[in-house]
Amino acid sequence: MRSISFLPSLLALFAIFLISSCSDTTAEKEPAVEDAAQTVYASGVIPFFDHWNLILGDGSNAGPAIDFEQKDFFYTTNDGDEDWVVFKAPNAGDTHGTSNNTRTELAQLKKWSPLTDAKLNATLKVMNVSATGDARVAASHSVVVGQIHSADGHENEPLKIFYKKFPGHTKGSVFWHYEINTAGEDNAKRWDFSTAVWGNDFSVVGAEENSYPDEPEEGIALGEEFSYEIEVKDGIMTLKFSSPGHETKSFSKNLIESEYTTKADIPEQTQALFVPIGQDGVERENAYSEEGLFFKLGAYNQTNGKSPEVNRNWCSGAETHGGDVRKQYEDGNYAEVWFKTGSIFVSDDAISNQGYFTKND
């Protein structure tokens, strides 16, 4: 009789044990579920990554960056108010294609004629440019944050949007470049023409290696938001730049009819910067009209470790620690750009840009 009366108690204890065990197992799994929920990918912040391949700061092509991060070069962060997509590139490392410079940058999967419609908008803030570099070199301490690139011919760039800030300055400059689509086969003679948006253009440099020009009064500080809008329609590129507290600026450029077809057309800025180093070419009359173009967006670091004796406009002589990425990050020898928003319009007439990646990956 005692054994029978004791049985309900044993069953009750066993039921409690089972409930407790299940509860403990669930509790152990909860942190893993919670950690997964906290991962914010770039494609969740700016939902347009199916239009791009991501090129990383080690020269690799990561493909479309859907639910992807790489903590050295590409990830998300929150500034306390909003999520941002971080693009980071050291002064030196493995590069993509034939470039001397590292990049963590999106490259559009399709290319399009400048006679069709194409649009790209973005809001960003630059968080770091290289701490070192020869101040006499125009590209030192700068990063390109948006581009239009040709996929054909010389693969030149009808648009590069720059941010540049000298050490010790609070404010930097935003400017944009048009690179000629060089006539003939000798693309070594190509050159850029630079237009200031806020602050100075590319041509304002230091008098000595470690001396700097005056700080631009109307410049943009590190960490200060600005936006760009790019539209190409019927062969005309239209640009709009805006930033809270700054004058909105707009520009336009014909991409299908050149204004630089003779030596007499070379502007004074180019005469001073590029002609003395042999970059004195002229442009084909129809400019980029017969080539497929595509957008790029991210951090294309323009500071590198190559000697200024090679090219005083593009070779910065900056610190690279022999390509050691970690050491470059530790002492500020890198570019870092955060993007908050972005949108792209692609014409139905656009076609695959795979040929560009096949040549350059």
Side-chain angles (χ1 to χ4, degrees), residues 11-119:
L11 290 174
L13 287 170
F14 183 67
I16 292 169
F17 174 77
L18 285 176
I19 293 169
S20 177
S21 297
C22 290
S23 175
D24 290 344
T25 301
T26 303
E28 289 173 2
K29 290 182 178 180
E30 282 178 356
V33 173
E34 185 178 341
D35 289 346
Q38 289 177 350
T39 301
V40 178
Y41 292 108
S43 52
V45 177
I46 307 176
F48 70 167
F49 281 84
D50 53 335
H51 290 287
W52 312 87
N53 273 345
L54 172 66
I55 309 303
L56 294 172
D58 60 3
S60 63
N61 183 344
I66 309 298
D67 295 340
F68 174 84
E69 67 176 18
Q70 209 284 359
K71 287 296 189 181
D72 281 338
F73 307 116
F74 179 79
Y75 51 93
T76 64
T77 192
N78 187 287
D79 65 358
D81 296 313
E82 298 167 297
D83 290 324
W84 297 75
V85 181
V86 179
F87 295 76
K88 197 170 181 180
N91 285 356
D94 293 330
T95 62
H96 186 252
T98 59
S99 177
N100 290 322
N101 302 315
T102 66
R103 73 185 81 210
T104 298
E105 187 179 45
L106 301 175
Q108 192 179 357
L109 290 169
K110 290 190 173 183
K111 63 180 181 178
W112 34 268
S113 164
L115 294 168
T116 62
D117 295 353
K119 297 178 184 178

Side-chain angles (χ1 to χ4, degrees), residues 10 18 22 27 32 46 61 68 77 89 93-94 98 155 182 184 188 196 208 219 230 250 264 275 315 320 350 352:
L10 285 175
L18 285 176
C22 290
I46 307 176
N61 183 344
F68 174 84
T77 192
D94 293 330
T98 59
E155 297 184 3
T182 321
E208 303 293 338
I230 308 167
S250 297
V275 171
C315 297
T320 65
S352 172

